[in-house]
Amino acid sequence: MIEFQSVTKTYPGGSVAVSEFSLTVPSHRTVVLVGSSGSGKTTLLRMVNRMVDPTEGRVLIDGDDVLDRDAVRLRRSIGYVLQQGGLLPHRTIADNIATVPVLTGASRREARAASLELMERVGLDRSLARRYPAQLSGGQQQRVGVARALAGDPNILLMDEPFGAVDPIVRRELQDELLRLQSELGKTIVFVTHDVDEAFRLGDEVVVLRERGEIAQHGTPAGILAEPAADVGRG
Ligand SMILES: Nc1ncnc2c1ncn2[C@@H]1O[C@H](COP(=O)(O)OP(=O)(O)O)[C@@H](O)[C@H]1O
Ligand SMILES: [Mg+2]
């Protein structure tokens, strides 16, 4: 379970990215934060793995304040998928996936075997293991990003517009794949998007954000569709 308790983030220079945001993300569920660019989505995600620390308020994981955790270890224990894979260009696909296990002490051999298994999990052919990121399509690269995020077997996955840069057909495939994976793995997922349809497809719960992380609406997709707030448009 992840709890945001009245978190505020003011960046140096005074820009208030998020103001007094509170939300509980239940374990083993996918919660989607949807809002337009600048609404504070990335800032909120990064508060979970301490890439950003709140100016005020607290973020708790299973009851413990993340500020009490070592930032580097915390970050390695949480899967993080970015819009543009963030893959290391000069490392093979298998090595990219193995990044965290190798950092945390797995042998090359173990890490490599785990990479190949993860590739299958996310629907990538094992024959791609020795290729480099630039030799893969955008959709394949995003699958690698998901495999890499899963490599340390984290309880929590943070996904920041991970399917935003691929064409609509591939995007749909990646969404289906994530739904399938989640039904098998039951991770606690915070997924960020500006696409309302994607939010409704993927979220057990959807949180619609206005500026500064102000919550316009929060509920299940069915609940929100039944009673949409005035300014929550679809598509
Ligand atoms: N490192 C930063 N320094 C200053 N302002 C920032 C920084 N990161 C984000 N912001 C500002 O905070 C607000 C929210 O940004 P962000 O969390 O990236 O939103 P989103 O991911 O929804 O686009 C924006 O106004 C943005 O300009
Ligand atoms: Mg963002």
Side-chain angles (χ1 to χ4, degrees), residues 41-42 160-161:
K41 304 182 298 296
T42 295
D160 196 350
E161 311 211 26

Side-chain angles (χ1 to χ4, degrees), residues 74-206:
L74 179 76
R75 218 163 287 154
R76 285 178 188 165
S77 74
I78 293 176
Y80 188 37
V81 188
L82 299 155
Q83 178 168 4
Q84 300 281 6
L87 303 176
L88 302 166
H90 303 300
R91 296 255 183 100
T92 64
I93 298 308
D95 284 347
N96 264 283
I97 295 170
T99 306
V100 166
V102 166
L103 282 172
T104 53
S107 71
R108 289 249 154 223
R109 203 195 167 86
E110 286 167 343
R112 191 173 171 80
S115 288
L116 292 173
E117 252 172 55
L118 279 164
M119 288 180 71
E120 269 181 18
R121 264 237 120 99
V122 301
L124 284 170
D125 196 281
R126 285 177 180 229
S127 66
L128 300 175
R130 288 178 188 280
R131 295 220 194 151
Y132 291 86
Q135 298 173 304
L136 269 55
S137 70
Q140 287 171 327
Q141 289 184 33
Q142 288 313 99
R143 287 176 195 261
V144 176
V146 173
R148 186 182 53 175
L150 291 171
D153 196 23
N155 295 322
I156 296 174
L157 268 187
L158 307 176
M159 307 186 79
D160 196 350
E161 311 211 26
F163 310 145
V166 296
D167 69 66
I169 293 171
V170 173
R171 186 171 189 151
R172 184 98 185 179
E173 288 170 7
L174 291 168
Q175 291 167 352
D176 286 340
E177 195 78 19
L178 181 62
L179 287 167
R180 186 188 59 75
L181 266 177
Q182 175 63 347
S183 72
E184 291 171 5
L185 300 176
K187 302 290 184 188
T188 304
I189 300 180
V190 188
F191 188 106
V192 157
T193 182
H194 59 253
D195 182 309
V196 177
D197 292 310
E198 182 167 77
F200 279 56
R201 257 182 78 115
L202 297 181
D204 296 307
E205 296 178 21
V206 173

Side-chain angles (χ1 to χ4, degrees), residues 33-68:
L33 308 180
V34 57
S36 44
S37 180
S39 54
K41 304 182 298 296
T42 295
T43 299
L44 285 166
L45 265 197
R46 291 183 167 191
M47 284 188 200
V48 177
N49 68 1
R50 293 202 59 192
M51 291 172 76
V52 169
D53 285 335
T55 317
E56 286 171 67
R58 304 195 301 168
V59 178
L60 310 183
I61 295 179
D62 296 332
D64 296 327
D65 192 330
V66 294
L67 293 186
D68 294 333

